[in-house]
Coordinates of all heavy atoms in Angstrom, one line a residue:
M13 N 74.8 -87.4 -148.4 CA 74.7 -87.8 -149.8 C 73.9 -89.0 -149.8 O 74.1 -90.0 -149.0 CB 76.1 -88.1 -150.3 CG 76.1 -88.6 -151.7 SD 77.8 -88.9 -152.4 CE 78.3 -87.3 -152.7
S14 N 72.9 -89.1 -150.7 CA 72.0 -90.2 -150.8 C 72.8 -91.4 -151.4 O 73.8 -91.2 -152.1 CB 70.8 -89.9 -151.6 OG 71.1 -89.7 -152.9
K15 N 72.2 -92.6 -151.1 CA 72.9 -93.8 -151.6 C 73.1 -93.8 -153.1 O 74.1 -94.2 -153.6 CB 72.1 -95.0 -151.2 CG 72.8 -96.3 -151.6 CD 72.2 -97.5 -151.1 CE 72.9 -98.7 -151.6 NZ 72.6 -100.0 -151.1
D16 N 72.1 -93.3 -153.9 CA 72.2 -93.3 -155.3 C 73.3 -92.3 -155.9 O 73.7 -92.4 -157.0 CB 70.9 -93.0 -156.0 CG 70.3 -91.7 -155.7 OD1 70.5 -91.2 -154.5 OD2 69.6 -91.1 -156.5
K17 N 73.8 -91.4 -155.0 CA 74.8 -90.5 -155.4 C 76.2 -90.9 -155.0 O 77.2 -90.3 -155.4 CB 74.5 -89.1 -154.9 CG 73.3 -88.4 -155.5 CD 73.2 -87.0 -155.0 CE 72.0 -86.3 -155.7 NZ 71.9 -84.9 -155.3
L18 N 76.3 -92.0 -154.3 CA 77.6 -92.5 -153.9 C 78.3 -93.0 -155.1 O 77.6 -93.6 -156.0 CB 77.4 -93.7 -152.9 CG 76.9 -93.3 -151.5 CD1 76.6 -94.5 -150.6 CD2 77.9 -92.4 -150.8
P19 N 79.6 -92.9 -155.2 CA 80.3 -93.5 -156.3 C 80.0 -94.9 -156.5 O 79.9 -95.7 -155.6 CB 81.8 -93.3 -155.9 CG 81.8 -92.1 -154.9 CD 80.5 -92.3 -154.2
K20 N 79.9 -95.3 -157.8 CA 79.6 -96.7 -158.1 C 80.5 -97.7 -157.5 O 80.1 -98.8 -157.0 CB 79.5 -96.9 -159.7 CG 78.4 -96.2 -160.3 CD 78.3 -96.6 -161.8 CE 77.2 -95.8 -162.5 NZ 75.9 -95.8 -162.0
N21 N 81.8 -97.4 -157.5 CA 82.8 -98.3 -156.9 C 82.5 -98.5 -155.4 O 82.6 -99.6 -154.8 CB 84.2 -97.9 -157.1 CG 85.2 -98.9 -156.6 OD1 85.2 -100.0 -157.0 ND2 86.1 -98.5 -155.8
F22 N 82.2 -97.4 -154.7 CA 81.8 -97.5 -153.3 C 80.6 -98.4 -153.1 O 80.6 -99.2 -152.2 CB 81.6 -96.1 -152.7 CG 81.4 -96.0 -151.2 CD1 82.5 -95.9 -150.4 CD2 80.1 -96.1 -150.7 CE1 82.3 -95.9 -149.0 CE2 80.0 -96.1 -149.3 CZ 81.1 -95.9 -148.5
Q23 N 79.6 -98.2 -153.9 CA 78.4 -99.0 -153.8 C 78.7 -100.5 -154.1 O 78.2 -101.4 -153.4 CB 77.3 -98.5 -154.8 CG 76.8 -97.2 -154.5 CD 75.7 -96.7 -155.6 OE1 74.9 -97.5 -156.0 NE2 75.8 -95.5 -155.9
K24 N 79.6 -100.7 -155.0 CA 80.0 -102.1 -155.3 C 80.7 -102.7 -154.2 O 80.5 -103.9 -153.8 CB 80.8 -102.1 -156.6 CG 81.0 -103.5 -157.2 CD 79.7 -103.9 -158.0 CE 80.0 -105.0 -158.9 NZ 78.8 -105.5 -159.5
L25 N 81.6 -102.0 -153.5 CA 82.3 -102.5 -152.4 C 81.3 -102.8 -151.2 O 81.5 -103.9 -150.6 CB 83.3 -101.5 -151.9 CG 84.6 -101.4 -152.6 CD1 85.4 -100.1 -152.3 CD2 85.5 -102.6 -152.4
Q26 N 80.3 -102.0 -151.0 CA 79.3 -102.2 -150.0 C 78.6 -103.5 -150.3 O 78.3 -104.3 -149.4 CB 78.3 -101.1 -149.9 CG 78.9 -99.9 -149.2 CD 77.9 -98.7 -149.1 OE1 77.2 -98.4 -150.0 NE2 77.9 -98.1 -147.9
Q27 N 78.2 -103.7 -151.6 CA 77.5 -104.9 -152.0 C 78.3 -106.2 -151.9 O 77.9 -107.2 -151.4 CB 77.1 -104.7 -153.5 CG 76.4 -105.9 -154.1 CD 76.1 -105.7 -155.6 OE1 76.3 -104.6 -156.1 NE2 75.6 -106.7 -156.2
N28 N 79.6 -106.1 -152.3 CA 80.4 -107.3 -152.3 C 81.1 -107.6 -151.0 O 81.5 -108.8 -150.8 CB 81.5 -107.2 -153.4 CG 80.9 -107.2 -154.8 OD1 79.8 -107.8 -155.0 ND2 81.6 -106.6 -155.8
H29 N 81.3 -106.6 -150.2 CA 82.1 -106.8 -148.9 C 81.4 -106.0 -147.8 O 82.0 -105.1 -147.2 CB 83.5 -106.3 -149.1 CG 84.2 -106.9 -150.3 ND1 84.7 -108.2 -150.3 CD2 84.5 -106.4 -151.5 CE1 85.3 -108.4 -151.4 NE2 85.1 -107.4 -152.2
P30 N 80.2 -106.4 -147.4 CA 79.5 -105.6 -146.4 C 80.1 -105.6 -145.1 O 80.1 -104.5 -144.4 CB 78.1 -106.3 -146.4 CG 78.3 -107.7 -147.0 CD 79.4 -107.5 -147.9
E31 N 80.7 -106.7 -144.6 CA 81.4 -106.7 -143.3 C 82.6 -105.7 -143.3 O 82.8 -105.0 -142.4 CB 81.8 -108.1 -142.9 CG 80.7 -109.1 -142.8 CD 80.3 -109.7 -144.1 OE1 81.0 -109.5 -145.1 OE2 79.2 -110.4 -144.1
F32 N 83.4 -105.8 -144.4 CA 84.6 -104.9 -144.5 C 84.1 -103.5 -144.5 O 84.7 -102.6 -143.7 CB 85.3 -105.2 -145.8 CG 86.4 -104.2 -146.2 CD1 87.5 -104.1 -145.4 CD2 86.2 -103.4 -147.3 CE1 88.5 -103.1 -145.8 CE2 87.1 -102.5 -147.7 CZ 88.3 -102.3 -146.9
M33 N 83.1 -103.1 -145.3 CA 82.7 -101.7 -145.3 C 82.1 -101.3 -144.0 O 82.2 -100.1 -143.7 CB 81.7 -101.6 -146.5 CG 82.4 -101.8 -147.9 SD 83.8 -100.7 -148.2 CE 82.9 -99.1 -148.4
A34 N 81.4 -102.2 -143.3 CA 80.9 -101.8 -142.0 C 82.0 -101.5 -141.0 O 82.0 -100.5 -140.3 CB 80.0 -102.9 -141.4
A35 N 83.1 -102.3 -141.1 CA 84.3 -102.0 -140.3 C 84.9 -100.7 -140.6 O 85.4 -99.9 -139.7 CB 85.3 -103.2 -140.4
V36 N 85.0 -100.4 -141.9 CA 85.6 -99.1 -142.3 C 84.7 -98.0 -141.8 O 85.2 -97.0 -141.2 CB 85.7 -99.0 -143.9 CG1 86.0 -97.6 -144.3 CG2 86.7 -100.0 -144.4
G37 N 83.4 -98.1 -141.9 CA 82.5 -97.1 -141.3 C 82.6 -96.9 -139.8 O 82.6 -95.8 -139.3
N38 N 82.8 -98.0 -139.1 CA 82.9 -98.0 -137.7 C 84.3 -97.3 -137.3 O 84.3 -96.6 -136.3 CB 82.8 -99.4 -137.1 CG 81.4 -100.0 -137.1 OD1 80.5 -99.2 -137.2 ND2 81.3 -101.3 -137.2
L39 N 85.3 -97.6 -138.1 CA 86.6 -97.0 -137.8 C 86.5 -95.4 -138.0 O 86.9 -94.7 -137.1 CB 87.7 -97.5 -138.7 CG 89.1 -96.8 -138.6 CD1 89.6 -97.0 -137.2 CD2 90.0 -97.4 -139.6
G40 N 85.8 -95.0 -139.0 CA 85.6 -93.6 -139.2 C 84.9 -92.9 -138.1 O 85.2 -91.9 -137.6
K41 N 83.8 -93.6 -137.6 CA 83.0 -93.1 -136.5 C 83.9 -93.0 -135.2 O 83.9 -92.0 -134.5 CB 81.8 -94.0 -136.3 CG 80.9 -93.5 -135.2 CD 79.7 -94.4 -135.1 CE 78.6 -93.9 -134.1 NZ 78.9 -94.2 -132.8
A42 N 84.7 -94.1 -135.0 CA 85.5 -94.1 -133.8 C 86.5 -93.0 -133.8 O 86.7 -92.4 -132.7 CB 86.2 -95.5 -133.7
V43 N 87.2 -92.8 -134.9 CA 88.2 -91.7 -134.9 C 87.6 -90.3 -134.8 O 88.2 -89.4 -134.1 CB 89.2 -91.8 -136.1 CG1 89.9 -93.1 -136.1 CG2 88.5 -91.6 -137.4
R44 N 86.4 -90.1 -135.3 CA 85.8 -88.8 -135.2 C 85.4 -88.6 -133.7 O 85.5 -87.4 -133.2 CB 84.5 -88.8 -136.0 CG 84.8 -88.5 -137.4 CD 83.4 -88.6 -138.3 NE 83.5 -87.8 -139.4 CZ 84.3 -87.9 -140.5 NH1 85.1 -88.9 -140.5 NH2 84.3 -87.1 -141.5
E45 N 85.0 -89.6 -133.0 CA 84.6 -89.5 -131.6 C 85.8 -89.5 -130.6 O 85.6 -89.3 -129.4 CB 83.6 -90.5 -131.3 CG 82.3 -90.4 -132.1 CD 81.3 -91.6 -131.9 OE1 81.7 -92.5 -131.2 OE2 80.2 -91.5 -132.4
A46 N 87.0 -89.8 -131.1 CA 88.1 -90.0 -130.2 C 88.7 -88.7 -129.7 O 89.6 -88.8 -128.8 CB 89.2 -90.8 -130.9
G47 N 88.3 -87.6 -130.2 CA 89.0 -86.3 -129.8 C 88.1 -85.1 -129.9 O 86.9 -85.3 -130.1
P48 N 88.7 -84.0 -129.6 CA 87.9 -82.7 -129.5 C 87.5 -82.0 -130.8 O 86.8 -81.0 -130.8 CB 88.8 -81.9 -128.6 CG 90.1 -82.2 -129.0 CD 90.1 -83.7 -129.3
L49 N 88.0 -82.5 -131.9 CA 87.7 -81.7 -133.2 C 86.3 -81.9 -133.6 O 85.7 -82.9 -133.5 CB 88.6 -82.2 -134.3 CG 90.1 -82.0 -134.1 CD1 90.9 -82.6 -135.3 CD2 90.5 -80.6 -133.9
D50 N 85.7 -80.8 -134.1 CA 84.4 -80.8 -134.6 C 84.3 -81.4 -136.0 O 85.4 -81.5 -136.7 CB 83.7 -79.4 -134.5 CG 84.4 -78.4 -135.4 OD1 85.1 -78.7 -136.3 OD2 84.2 -77.2 -135.1
E51 N 83.1 -81.7 -136.5 CA 82.9 -82.3 -137.8 C 83.5 -81.4 -138.9 O 84.1 -81.9 -139.9 CB 81.5 -82.6 -138.0 CG 81.2 -83.6 -139.1 CD 81.7 -85.0 -138.9 OE1 82.0 -85.4 -137.7 OE2 81.9 -85.7 -139.8
K52 N 83.3 -80.1 -138.9 CA 83.8 -79.2 -139.9 C 85.3 -79.3 -140.0 O 85.9 -79.5 -141.1 CB 83.4 -77.8 -139.6 CG 83.9 -76.8 -140.6 CD 83.4 -75.4 -140.3 CE 84.4 -74.6 -139.4 NZ 84.1 -73.2 -139.3
T53 N 86.0 -79.2 -138.9 CA 87.4 -79.3 -138.8 C 88.0 -80.6 -139.3 O 88.9 -80.7 -140.1 CB 88.0 -79.0 -137.4 OG1 87.5 -77.7 -137.0 CG2 89.5 -79.0 -137.4
I54 N 87.3 -81.7 -138.9 CA 87.7 -83.0 -139.3 C 87.7 -83.1 -140.8 O 88.6 -83.6 -141.5 CB 86.9 -84.1 -138.6 CG1 87.2 -84.2 -137.2 CG2 87.0 -85.5 -139.3 CD1 86.2 -85.0 -136.3
N55 N 86.6 -82.7 -141.4 CA 86.4 -82.8 -142.9 C 87.4 -81.8 -143.6 O 87.9 -82.2 -144.7 CB 85.0 -82.5 -143.3 CG 84.2 -83.8 -143.1 OD1 84.4 -84.8 -143.8 ND2 83.3 -83.8 -142.1
L56 N 87.7 -80.7 -143.1 CA 88.7 -79.8 -143.7 C 90.1 -80.5 -143.7 O 90.8 -80.4 -144.7 CB 88.8 -78.4 -143.0 CG 87.6 -77.5 -143.2 CD1 87.6 -76.3 -142.3 CD2 87.5 -77.1 -144.7
L57 N 90.4 -81.1 -142.6 CA 91.7 -81.9 -142.5 C 91.7 -83.0 -143.5 O 92.7 -83.2 -144.2 CB 91.9 -82.4 -141.1 CG 92.3 -81.4 -140.0 CD1 92.1 -82.0 -138.6 CD2 93.7 -80.9 -140.3
Q58 N 90.6 -83.8 -143.6 CA 90.6 -84.9 -144.5 C 90.6 -84.4 -145.9 O 91.3 -85.1 -146.8 CB 89.4 -85.8 -144.2 CG 89.5 -86.5 -142.9 CD 88.3 -87.4 -142.6 OE1 87.2 -87.0 -142.6 NE2 88.6 -88.7 -142.3
M59 N 90.0 -83.3 -146.2 CA 90.0 -82.8 -147.6 C 91.5 -82.4 -147.9 O 92.0 -82.6 -149.0 CB 89.1 -81.5 -147.7 CG 89.1 -80.9 -149.1 SD 88.3 -79.3 -149.1 CE 89.4 -78.3 -148.1
A60 N 92.2 -81.7 -147.0 CA 93.6 -81.3 -147.2 C 94.4 -82.5 -147.5 O 95.3 -82.5 -148.4 CB 94.1 -80.5 -146.0
A61 N 94.3 -83.6 -146.7 CA 95.0 -84.8 -146.9 C 94.7 -85.4 -148.2 O 95.6 -85.9 -149.0 CB 94.8 -85.8 -145.8
A62 N 93.5 -85.4 -148.6 CA 93.1 -85.9 -149.9 C 93.7 -85.1 -151.1 O 94.1 -85.6 -152.1 CB 91.6 -86.0 -150.1
A63 N 93.8 -83.8 -150.9 CA 94.4 -82.9 -151.9 C 95.9 -83.3 -152.0 O 96.4 -83.4 -153.1 CB 94.2 -81.5 -151.5
A64 N 96.5 -83.5 -150.9 CA 98.0 -83.8 -150.9 C 98.2 -85.1 -151.6 O 99.2 -85.3 -152.3 CB 98.5 -83.9 -149.5
L65 N 97.3 -86.1 -151.5 CA 97.4 -87.4 -152.1 C 96.8 -87.4 -153.5 O 96.8 -88.4 -154.2 CB 96.7 -88.4 -151.3 CG 97.4 -88.7 -149.9 CD1 96.6 -89.5 -149.0 CD2 98.8 -89.3 -150.2
R66 N 96.2 -86.2 -154.0 CA 95.6 -86.1 -155.3 C 94.4 -87.1 -155.5 O 94.3 -87.7 -156.6 CB 96.6 -86.2 -156.4 CG 97.6 -85.0 -156.3 CD 98.6 -85.0 -157.4 NE 99.5 -83.9 -157.3 CZ 99.8 -83.0 -158.2 NH1 99.2 -83.1 -159.4 NH2 100.6 -82.0 -158.0
M67 N 93.6 -87.2 -154.5 CA 92.4 -88.0 -154.5 C 91.2 -87.2 -154.8 O 90.5 -86.7 -153.9 CB 92.3 -88.8 -153.2 CG 93.6 -89.7 -152.9 SD 93.6 -90.3 -151.2 CE 92.1 -91.3 -151.2
E68 N 90.8 -87.1 -156.1 CA 89.8 -86.2 -156.5 C 88.4 -86.5 -155.8 O 87.8 -85.6 -155.3 CB 89.6 -86.3 -158.0 CG 88.5 -85.4 -158.6 CD 88.3 -85.4 -160.1 OE1 89.1 -86.2 -160.7 OE2 87.5 -84.7 -160.6
G69 N 88.0 -87.8 -155.8 CA 86.8 -88.1 -155.2 C 86.7 -87.8 -153.7 O 85.7 -87.3 -153.2
A70 N 87.8 -88.0 -153.0 CA 87.8 -87.7 -151.6 C 87.8 -86.2 -151.4 O 87.2 -85.7 -150.4 CB 89.1 -88.3 -150.9
V71 N 88.5 -85.4 -152.2 CA 88.4 -83.9 -152.1 C 86.9 -83.5 -152.3 O 86.4 -82.7 -151.5 CB 89.3 -83.2 -153.1 CG1 89.0 -81.7 -153.1 CG2 90.8 -83.5 -152.7
H72 N 86.3 -84.0 -153.3 CA 84.8 -83.7 -153.5 C 84.0 -84.1 -152.3 O 83.3 -83.2 -151.8 CB 84.3 -84.6 -154.7 CG 84.7 -84.2 -156.0 ND1 84.6 -85.0 -157.1 CD2 85.2 -83.0 -156.5 CE1 85.0 -84.4 -158.2 NE2 85.4 -83.2 -157.9
S73 N 84.2 -85.3 -151.8 CA 83.4 -85.8 -150.6 C 83.6 -84.9 -149.4 O 82.7 -84.5 -148.7 CB 83.8 -87.2 -150.4 OG 83.1 -87.7 -149.2
H74 N 84.9 -84.7 -149.1 CA 85.2 -83.9 -147.8 C 84.9 -82.5 -147.9 O 84.5 -81.8 -147.0 CB 86.6 -84.2 -147.3 CG 86.7 -85.6 -146.8 ND1 86.1 -86.1 -145.7 CD2 87.4 -86.7 -147.4 CE1 86.4 -87.4 -145.6 NE2 87.1 -87.8 -146.5
A75 N 85.0 -81.9 -149.1 CA 84.6 -80.5 -149.3 C 83.1 -80.4 -149.1 O 82.6 -79.5 -148.4 CB 85.0 -80.0 -150.7
R76 N 82.3 -81.3 -149.7 CA 80.9 -81.3 -149.5 C 80.5 -81.5 -148.0 O 79.7 -80.8 -147.5 CB 80.2 -82.5 -150.3 CG 79.8 -82.1 -151.6 CD 78.9 -83.3 -152.2 NE 79.3 -83.5 -153.5 CZ 80.0 -84.5 -154.0 NH1 80.5 -85.4 -153.2 NH2 80.3 -84.6 -155.3
R77 N 81.2 -82.4 -147.4 CA 80.9 -82.7 -146.0 C 81.3 -81.5 -145.1 O 80.6 -81.2 -144.1 CB 81.6 -84.0 -145.5 CG 81.1 -85.2 -146.1 CD 82.0 -86.4 -145.7 NE 81.6 -87.6 -146.4 CZ 82.0 -88.8 -146.0 NH1 82.8 -89.0 -145.0 NH2 81.7 -89.9 -146.7
A78 N 82.4 -80.9 -145.4 CA 82.8 -79.7 -144.6 C 81.8 -78.6 -144.7 O 81.4 -78.0 -143.7 CB 84.2 -79.3 -145.0
M79 N 81.3 -78.4 -145.9 CA 80.3 -77.3 -146.1 C 79.0 -77.7 -145.4 O 78.3 -76.9 -144.8 CB 80.1 -77.0 -147.6 CG 81.3 -76.2 -148.1 SD 81.2 -75.6 -149.8 CE 81.5 -77.1 -150.8
S80 N 78.6 -79.0 -145.5 CA 77.4 -79.4 -144.8 C 77.5 -79.3 -143.3 O 76.6 -79.1 -142.6 CB 77.1 -80.9 -145.1 OG 76.7 -81.1 -146.4
A81 N 78.8 -79.3 -142.8 CA 79.0 -79.2 -141.3 C 79.3 -77.7 -141.0 O 79.6 -77.4 -139.8 CB 80.3 -80.0 -140.9
G82 N 79.1 -76.8 -141.9 CA 79.1 -75.4 -141.6 C 80.3 -74.6 -142.1 O 80.4 -73.4 -141.9
A83 N 81.2 -75.3 -142.9 CA 82.3 -74.5 -143.5 C 81.8 -73.7 -144.6 O 80.9 -74.1 -145.4 CB 83.4 -75.5 -144.0
T84 N 82.4 -72.5 -144.7 CA 82.0 -71.7 -145.9 C 82.9 -72.1 -147.0 O 84.0 -72.7 -146.8 CB 82.3 -70.2 -145.5 OG1 83.7 -70.0 -145.3 CG2 81.5 -69.7 -144.3
E85 N 82.5 -71.6 -148.2 CA 83.4 -71.9 -149.4 C 84.8 -71.2 -149.2 O 85.8 -71.8 -149.6 CB 82.8 -71.4 -150.7 CG 81.7 -72.3 -151.1 CD 81.2 -72.0 -152.5 OE1 82.0 -71.6 -153.4 OE2 79.9 -72.1 -152.7
A86 N 84.8 -70.1 -148.6 CA 86.1 -69.4 -148.3 C 86.9 -70.2 -147.4 O 88.2 -70.3 -147.6 CB 85.8 -68.0 -147.7
E87 N 86.4 -70.9 -146.4 CA 87.1 -71.7 -145.5 C 87.7 -72.9 -146.2 O 88.8 -73.3 -146.0 CB 86.3 -72.1 -144.3 CG 86.0 -71.0 -143.3 CD 85.0 -71.4 -142.2 OE1 84.0 -72.1 -142.5 OE2 85.2 -71.0 -141.1
V88 N 86.8 -73.5 -147.0 CA 87.3 -74.7 -147.8 C 88.4 -74.3 -148.7 O 89.5 -75.0 -148.7 CB 86.1 -75.3 -148.6 CG1 86.6 -76.3 -149.6 CG2 85.1 -75.9 -147.7
R89 N 88.3 -73.2 -149.4 CA 89.4 -72.8 -150.3 C 90.6 -72.4 -149.5 O 91.8 -72.7 -150.0 CB 88.9 -71.6 -151.2 CG 87.8 -72.1 -152.1 CD 87.2 -70.9 -153.0 NE 86.0 -71.3 -153.7 CZ 86.0 -72.1 -154.7 NH1 87.1 -72.6 -155.2 NH2 84.9 -72.4 -155.3
H90 N 90.5 -71.7 -148.4 CA 91.6 -71.4 -147.6 C 92.4 -72.6 -147.1 O 93.6 -72.7 -147.0 CB 91.2 -70.5 -146.4 CG 92.4 -69.9 -145.7 ND1 92.4 -69.8 -144.3 CD2 93.5 -69.3 -146.1 CE1 93.6 -69.3 -144.0 NE2 94.2 -68.9 -145.0
A91 N 91.6 -73.6 -146.7 CA 92.2 -74.9 -146.2 C 93.1 -75.5 -147.3 O 94.1 -76.2 -147.0 CB 91.1 -75.9 -145.8
L92 N 92.8 -75.2 -148.6 CA 93.6 -75.7 -149.7 C 94.8 -74.8 -149.9 O 95.9 -75.3 -150.1 CB 92.8 -75.9 -150.9 CG 91.7 -77.0 -150.9 CD1 90.9 -77.0 -152.1 CD2 92.4 -78.4 -150.7
I93 N 94.6 -73.5 -150.0 CA 95.7 -72.6 -150.4 C 96.8 -72.6 -149.4 O 97.9 -72.3 -149.7 CB 95.2 -71.2 -150.8 CG1 94.6 -70.4 -149.7 CG2 94.3 -71.3 -152.1 CD1 94.4 -69.0 -150.0
V94 N 96.4 -72.8 -148.1 CA 97.5 -72.9 -147.1 C 98.4 -74.0 -147.3 O 99.5 -74.1 -146.7 CB 97.0 -72.8 -145.6 CG1 96.2 -71.6 -145.3 CG2 96.2 -74.1 -145.3
L95 N 98.1 -75.0 -148.1 CA 98.9 -76.1 -148.4 C 100.0 -75.8 -149.5 O 100.9 -76.7 -149.7 CB 98.1 -77.3 -149.0 CG 97.0 -77.8 -148.0 CD1 96.1 -78.9 -148.8 CD2 97.6 -78.5 -146.8
T96 N 100.0 -74.7 -150.1 CA 100.8 -74.4 -151.2 C 102.3 -74.6 -150.9 O 103.0 -75.3 -151.7 CB 100.6 -72.9 -151.7 OG1 99.2 -72.7 -152.0 CG2 101.5 -72.6 -152.9
S97 N 102.8 -74.2 -149.8 CA 104.2 -74.3 -149.5 C 104.5 -75.8 -149.1 O 105.7 -76.2 -149.1 CB 104.7 -73.4 -148.3 OG 104.0 -73.7 -147.1
T98 N 103.5 -76.6 -148.8 CA 103.7 -78.0 -148.4 C 103.6 -78.9 -149.6 O 104.4 -79.8 -149.8 CB 102.7 -78.4 -147.4 OG1 102.8 -77.5 -146.3 CG2 103.0 -79.8 -146.9
I99 N 102.5 -78.8 -150.4 CA 102.3 -79.7 -151.5 C 102.5 -79.1 -152.9 O 102.5 -79.8 -153.9 CB 100.9 -80.4 -151.5 CG1 99.8 -79.3 -151.7 CG2 100.7 -81.1 -150.1 CD1 98.4 -80.0 -151.8
G100 N 102.7 -77.8 -153.0 CA 103.0 -77.1 -154.2 C 101.8 -76.5 -154.9 O 100.7 -77.0 -154.7
F101 N 102.1 -75.5 -155.7 CA 101.0 -74.8 -156.4 C 100.2 -75.6 -157.3 O 99.0 -75.6 -157.3 CB 101.5 -73.5 -157.1 CG 100.4 -72.9 -157.9 CD1 99.5 -72.1 -157.3 CD2 100.4 -73.0 -159.3 CE1 98.5 -71.5 -158.0 CE2 99.4 -72.4 -160.0 CZ 98.4 -71.7 -159.4
P102 N 100.8 -76.5 -158.2 CA 100.1 -77.3 -159.1 C 99.0 -78.2 -158.4 O 97.9 -78.3 -158.8 CB 101.1 -78.1 -159.9 CG 102.3 -77.3 -159.8 CD 102.3 -76.6 -158.4
A103 N 99.4 -78.8 -157.3 CA 98.5 -79.7 -156.6 C 97.4 -78.9 -155.9 O 96.2 -79.3 -155.9 CB 99.3 -80.5 -155.5
V104 N 97.7 -77.7 -155.4 CA 96.6 -76.8 -154.8 C 95.7 -76.4 -155.9 O 94.5 -76.4 -155.7 CB 97.3 -75.7 -154.1 CG1 96.2 -74.6 -153.7 CG2 98.0 -76.2 -152.8
A105 N 96.2 -76.0 -157.1 CA 95.4 -75.5 -158.2 C 94.4 -76.6 -158.6 O 93.2 -76.4 -158.9 CB 96.2 -75.0 -159.3
T106 N 95.0 -77.8 -158.7 CA 94.2 -79.0 -159.1 C 93.1 -79.2 -158.1 O 91.9 -79.4 -158.4 CB 95.0 -80.2 -159.3 OG1 96.0 -80.0 -160.3 CG2 94.2 -81.5 -159.6
A107 N 93.4 -79.3 -156.8 CA 92.4 -79.5 -155.8 C 91.4 -78.4 -155.7 O 90.2 -78.7 -155.5 CB 93.1 -79.6 -154.4
T108 N 91.8 -77.2 -156.0 CA 90.8 -76.1 -156.0 C 89.8 -76.3 -157.2 O 88.6 -76.0 -157.0 CB 91.5 -74.7 -156.2 OG1 92.5 -74.6 -155.1 CG2 90.6 -73.6 -156.2
S109 N 90.3 -76.8 -158.3 CA 89.3 -77.1 -159.4 C 88.3 -78.2 -159.0 O 87.2 -78.1 -159.4 CB 90.1 -77.5 -160.7 OG 90.6 -78.8 -160.6
W110 N 88.8 -79.1 -158.2 CA 87.8 -80.2 -157.7 C 86.8 -79.6 -156.8 O 85.6 -80.0 -156.8 CB 88.6 -81.3 -157.0 CG 89.5 -82.0 -158.0 CD1 89.4 -82.2 -159.3 CD2 90.7 -82.8 -157.6 NE1 90.5 -82.9 -159.8 CE2 91.3 -83.3 -158.8 CE3 91.3 -83.0 -156.4 CZ2 92.4 -84.1 -158.8 CZ3 92.5 -83.8 -156.4 CH2 93.0 -84.3 -157.6
V111 N 87.2 -78.6 -156.0 CA 86.2 -77.9 -155.1 C 85.2 -77.2 -156.0 O 84.0 -77.1 -155.7 CB 86.9 -77.0 -154.1 CG1 85.9 -76.1 -153.4 CG2 87.7 -77.9 -153.0
N112 N 85.7 -76.6 -157.0 CA 84.8 -75.9 -158.0 C 83.7 -76.8 -158.5 O 82.6 -76.4 -158.7 CB 85.5 -75.3 -159.2 CG 86.5 -74.2 -158.8 OD1 86.3 -73.6 -157.7 ND2 87.4 -73.9 -159.6
D113 N 84.0 -78.1 -158.6 CA 83.0 -79.1 -159.1 C 81.8 -79.2 -158.1 O 80.7 -79.5 -158.6 CB 83.7 -80.5 -159.2 CG 84.7 -80.6 -160.3 OD1 84.8 -79.7 -161.2 OD2 85.5 -81.6 -160.2
V114 N 82.1 -79.0 -156.8 CA 81.0 -79.2 -155.8 C 80.6 -77.9 -155.2 O 79.6 -77.9 -154.4 CB 81.5 -80.2 -154.8 CG1 81.8 -81.6 -155.4 CG2 82.6 -79.7 -153.9
S115 N 81.2 -76.8 -155.5 CA 80.8 -75.5 -154.8 C 79.6 -74.9 -155.5 O 79.1 -75.4 -156.5 CB 82.0 -74.5 -154.9 OG 82.1 -74.0 -156.2
E116 N 79.0 -73.9 -154.9 CA 77.8 -73.3 -155.4 C 78.1 -72.2 -156.3 O 77.2 -71.4 -156.7 CB 77.0 -72.8 -154.2 CG 76.5 -74.0 -153.3 CD 75.8 -73.5 -152.1 OE1 75.5 -72.3 -152.0 OE2 75.4 -74.3 -151.3
D117 N 79.4 -72.0 -156.7 CA 79.8 -70.9 -157.6 C 79.1 -71.0 -158.9 O 78.9 -72.0 -159.5 CB 81.3 -70.8 -157.8 CG 82.0 -70.2 -156.6 OD1 81.4 -69.7 -155.7 OD2 83.2 -70.4 -156.6

């Protein structure tokens, strides 16, 4: 995602707290490199966690990132619907609508 497409609040945090945001970025890089999971799987997991927490922007971001890393739309949607017995149908339906915002449908 290009810098001009980043959420305005994220851009503002980068502007006002560059050291903090660099540390957040470094943490993200470190945890990705700490184990055997590939980028697609990591983003599907993060999208699922974001769905459970009802974080719309993070669901958008991680769905996009998962698809950029090779996930199909079917895999992204399946990663959400398998959450139904854990987070409930209403939360899954909501998260699915957020994926619709960024999918190619």
